[in-house]
Amino acid sequence: MKIQKIFHYAYIIFAALFVYDAITKWSDDRNKAYMSLLFAALATFMFFFRKRFSKKMEDNNNK
């Protein structure tokens, strides 16, 4: 289960990298910047979704 928690935070790291990528590309090519922001939003969603899902599985295992 510890490796699963590492992957949860990997999503946040990827989201930060995509936001940085969007900021650097904003003045050059906005379409690529929007794509990076979309991936950042997706990575953030996946972080919260996976965290909630693993919490549910943990609660089910404890019952």
Side-chain angles (χ1 to χ4, degrees), residues 9-50:
Y9 292 106
Y11 285 119
I12 292 296
I13 292 169
F14 280 118
L17 289 174
F18 282 125
V19 167
Y20 174 75
D21 186 48
I23 290 170
T24 58
K25 290 181 181 177
W26 189 260
S27 63
D28 294 336
D29 189 9
R30 291 238 171 132
N31 288 331
K32 289 183 182 179
Y34 287 135
M35 224 23 190
S36 293
L37 289 174
L38 176 71
F39 285 134
L42 181 65
T44 305
F45 169 76
M46 285 300 294
F47 168 76
F48 288 111
F49 177 77
R50 298 275 301 213

